[in-house]
Amino acid sequence: MNSVSNANQEQEATEIPIVKPKKNKRPLKTKLFLFGMMLIPVLHGICYDLYLKASTIRMMFSDQYGTGFGFYWVSRALSEAVSWNSMTGIAIQNIFGVAIIFNFIGIPIEVVMSYFFMKKIPATKVFRILFYLPTLLSSVVTTLVFNFMFDNTIGPITYAMREWGWNIPMQGLFFAPSTGMLMIYVYIFWLTLGSSTVLITASMLKVPASILESVQLDGASNPTELVRFVVPLISPILSVMFLSNVMAGFSLYTEVILLTDPAQSNIYTVAYLVTEGARTGRYYEAAGRGFVFTVIAIPLVMLTRWFFDRFLPDVSY
């Protein structure tokens, strides 16, 4: 018994006493500072998200004078939407125009260029820098450079086009209704070409080398390798770019302001109509048009995502 008690006493002596940590008491100034910092995003969300969205919905479903419930502004926007030559109708056309051109013309060009970069053609780094350079500059600088290149009087490209027999409108390429939107498409493609090719090239470089080596051993040509093997394996990044191009038609504003005058060129976009309507105090009109654009945007995005989730192959490698 003595040996057991002695052993217990030795064990108790060797046990490390548990020291309870002291509570960290922050001073009142620190608590007030932390409370204020947490209060900022809460107030921002309440004021700029909940309040503005609720006010926008109230303006959508308002009468002509904004004093009660009604469908005046929504019905007015819907009547404009079905008119081909109205401002809302032109903006809706540009939504689908941007999506079609940049998805079915722009993305194939960027994929082919990225494939050449993946194959490390001569002067690959030089071409990457040249294509990516416009992205590093501000929008004001890029629009000034682009305006100079296609200026109606001193632009070098415009001069070359006239020498080759092109018919340049008297008001210029940026202000003529027949060419104004086309020039905005060219500008956006020139501006985003570098960043898009960098993303696609990086995705191509992640394709397992064993797959590409097997394709080359089977004697497949470069077009076959690109279309049947590389493109399916980089489908996730292509789906993201496709969806981004679908939504790009809703956000064209800076390009319209800096490159053209809608009063002359008759070019209108979703962002331009909503922003200019709010800037000039026509809130109810902008809210009514916003309802129409939202009705178009939600099913368009959901249908695009469903299509890619349904038909794209599983490329988790």
Side-chain angles (χ1 to χ4, degrees):
M1 293 294 294
N2 293 331
S3 61
V4 174
S5 61
N6 292 333
N8 293 332
Q9 291 177 359
E10 291 178 357
Q11 183 177 3
E12 292 177 357
T14 55
E15 288 181 353
I16 300 175
I18 300 175
V19 179
K20 294 182 179 180
K22 296 181 179 180
K23 294 183 179 180
N24 186 12
K25 296 183 179 180
R26 293 190 177 94
L28 181 61
K29 293 182 179 180
T30 304
K31 292 181 179 180
L32 292 176
F33 173 77
L34 295 176
F35 177 77
M37 293 300 293
M38 295 177 64
L39 190 63
I40 292 175
V42 173
L43 292 178
H44 183 275
I46 294 175
C47 296
Y48 289 93
D49 288 337
L50 295 179
Y51 175 74
L52 289 180
K53 285 181 173 60
S55 298
T56 303
I57 294 174
R58 181 183 63 83
M59 292 178 184
M60 287 179 182
F61 303 100
S62 176
D63 58 11
Q64 182 178 358
Y65 303 102
T67 57
F69 180 80
F71 296 94
Y72 174 79
W73 299 104
V74 172
S75 60
R76 178 179 172 180
L78 288 173
S79 63
E80 289 183 356
V82 298
S83 177
W84 186 262
N85 296 321
S86 66
M87 291 188 292
T88 305
I90 294 173
I92 294 174
Q93 295 173 43
N94 288 328
I95 292 173
F96 294 96
V98 171
I100 292 172
I101 290 176
F102 285 95
N103 282 327
F104 298 102
I105 297 178
I107 287 182
I109 294 175
E110 293 163 356
V111 167
V112 172
M113 292 177 57
S114 301
Y115 182 73
F116 289 146
F117 290 159
M118 185 192 73
K119 290 295 185 179
K120 297 181 180 180
I121 61 173
T124 297
K125 294 183 178 179
V126 176
F127 286 118
R128 283 182 181 174
I129 294 173
L130 291 177
F131 291 143
Y132 197 75
L133 185 61
T135 311
L136 303 177
L137 305 175
S138 66
S139 57
V140 176
V141 175
T142 53
T143 51
L144 286 175
V145 173
F146 195 76
N147 262 313
F148 170 76
M149 291 191 298
F150 291 93
D151 187 81
N152 202 29
T153 55
I154 60 175
I157 297 181
T158 308
Y159 174 79
M161 293 173 65
R162 285 196 179 97
E163 292 295 322
W164 294 337
W166 287 64
N167 185 18
I168 305 298
M170 293 296 297
Q171 61 268 52
L173 294 172
F174 295 103
F175 300 97
S178 58
T179 58
M181 198 63 202
L182 177 62
M183 296 307 298
I184 293 179
Y185 291 157
V186 174
Y187 169 77
I188 297 173
F189 182 74
W190 171 67
L191 185 65
T192 59
L193 180 63
S195 58
S196 300
T197 52
V198 168
L199 292 175
I200 298 175
T201 304
S203 182
M204 288 182 177
L205 291 175
K206 291 184 62 178
V207 175
S210 58
I211 296 178
L212 299 180
E213 291 175 358
S214 301
V215 172
Q216 294 173 359
L217 290 175
D218 290 339
S221 61
N222 287 332
T224 302
E225 178 185 1
L226 174 63
V227 174
R228 299 186 60 182
F229 295 95
V230 176
V231 170
L233 291 174
I234 63 169
S235 56
I237 189 65
L238 295 181
S239 65
V240 172
M241 295 179 65
F242 195 98
L243 183 59
S244 300
N245 291 334
V246 169
M247 296 304 299
F250 293 88
S251 58
L252 293 181
Y253 176 72
T254 306
E255 297 81 2
V256 177
I257 293 296
L258 295 177
L259 290 176
T260 185
D261 179 17
Q264 300 182 48
S265 59
N266 200 29
I267 292 174
Y268 300 99
T269 61
V270 172
Y272 177 82
L273 291 180
V274 174
T275 305
E276 289 298 307
R279 189 180 66 84
T280 56
R282 295 178 282 113
Y283 301 111
Y284 292 92
E285 179 181 324
R289 288 171 173 168
F291 173 81
V292 175
F293 298 142
T294 303
V295 169
I296 295 174
I298 292 175
L300 186 62
V301 173
M302 294 181 64
L303 182 62
T304 304
R305 295 193 61 179
W306 172 84
F307 176 82
F308 281 104
D309 292 340
R310 176 69 176 80
F311 294 101
L312 283 183
D314 184 12
V315 293
S316 55
Y317 48 83

